[in-house]
Amino acid sequence: MRFPFLPLFLIVLPLAEIAGFVLVGRQIGALATVGLVLASSICGGLLLRHEGFGVLRRAQSELDAGRDPSRQLAHGVMILLAALLLIIPGFITDIVALLLLLPPVQDFAWRFVKSRVTVMTDFRASGFPRKERGPTIDLGEEDFSRRDGPRRADPNSPWRRLDKE
């Protein structure tokens, strides 16, 4: 089993979030706690909306400059993950999200992931190579014609067999 702790994590995380709600609610009150949760969800939604296209712009600028865009894409994925974690109600996920927004944490995570991932591509300074197309068949007037009037169905066509059943 590749993720033996995943089911345990999925049970423990909501319980820990509930405990966090109780602890924070005791200190600042229930209404302020709900307000913090709503504010973090709104911030996550705004961050997700703002950074979604920003990641693509930064990766495109790296490609245009002839550099490898993988670092920018990884940082973008971490920002988008942080936005999703902010949307999820809870203070533990919010703390993890805020950590993911810090550039030193992003650089550390990138170094960790970079050493374990191998990307194979045919990237050149001029961009990606064009896909070769097959031969083009050019039909003349005598090679192609349309029938005017009602179409006659081919009795051997598999599409017509469905109508008979």
Side-chain angles (χ1 to χ4, degrees), residues 10 17 38 45 74 80 84-85 115 125 130 135:
L10 292 175
E17 293 288 8
L38 288 175
L80 295 177
L84 290 173
L85 287 174
S115 65
R130 290 186 169 203

Side-chain angles (χ1 to χ4, degrees), residues 15 19 23 28 30 38 40 44 51 55 64 68 75 78 85 100 107-108 111 123 127 139 148 152:
L15 295 175
L23 291 174
I28 65 172
L38 288 175
S40 72
E51 285 297 318
V55 170
D64 291 342
D68 182 19
H75 283 223
M78 286 182 251
L85 287 174
L100 280 174
D107 288 334
F108 175 75
R111 283 192 304 272
F123 178 76
L139 297 177
D148 293 328
R152 292 187 181 162

Side-chain angles (χ1 to χ4, degrees), residues 4 19 22 40 46 52-53 65 82-83 96 100 112 164:
V22 170
S40 72
L46 293 173
F53 291 113
V96 172
L100 280 174
F112 180 77
K164 294 178 183 178

Side-chain angles (χ1 to χ4, degrees), residues 133-149:
R133 293 185 176 187
T136 302
I137 301 173
D138 191 14
L139 297 177
E141 288 288 328
E142 65 278 354
D143 297 328
F144 177 78
S145 65
R146 291 183 185 229
R147 292 185 205 158
D148 293 328

Side-chain angles (χ1 to χ4, degrees), residues 72-137:
Q72 293 297 328
L73 288 173
H75 283 223
V77 166
M78 286 182 251
I79 291 172
L80 295 177
L81 179 63
L84 290 173
L85 287 174
L86 282 172
I87 291 172
I88 296 172
F91 296 113
I92 296 172
T93 55
D94 290 350
I95 292 169
V96 172
L98 292 175
L99 288 174
L100 280 174
L101 291 174
L102 298 174
V105 174
Q106 290 177 352
D107 288 334
F108 175 75
W110 169 239
R111 283 192 304 272
F112 180 77
V113 170
K114 182 181 175 183
S115 65
R116 288 164 176 73
V117 173
T118 303
V119 178
M120 297 180 68
T121 182
D122 193 12
F123 178 76
R124 298 182 189 124
S126 63
F128 292 97
R130 290 186 169 203
K131 184 178 178 182
E132 297 294 325
R133 293 185 176 187
T136 302
I137 301 173

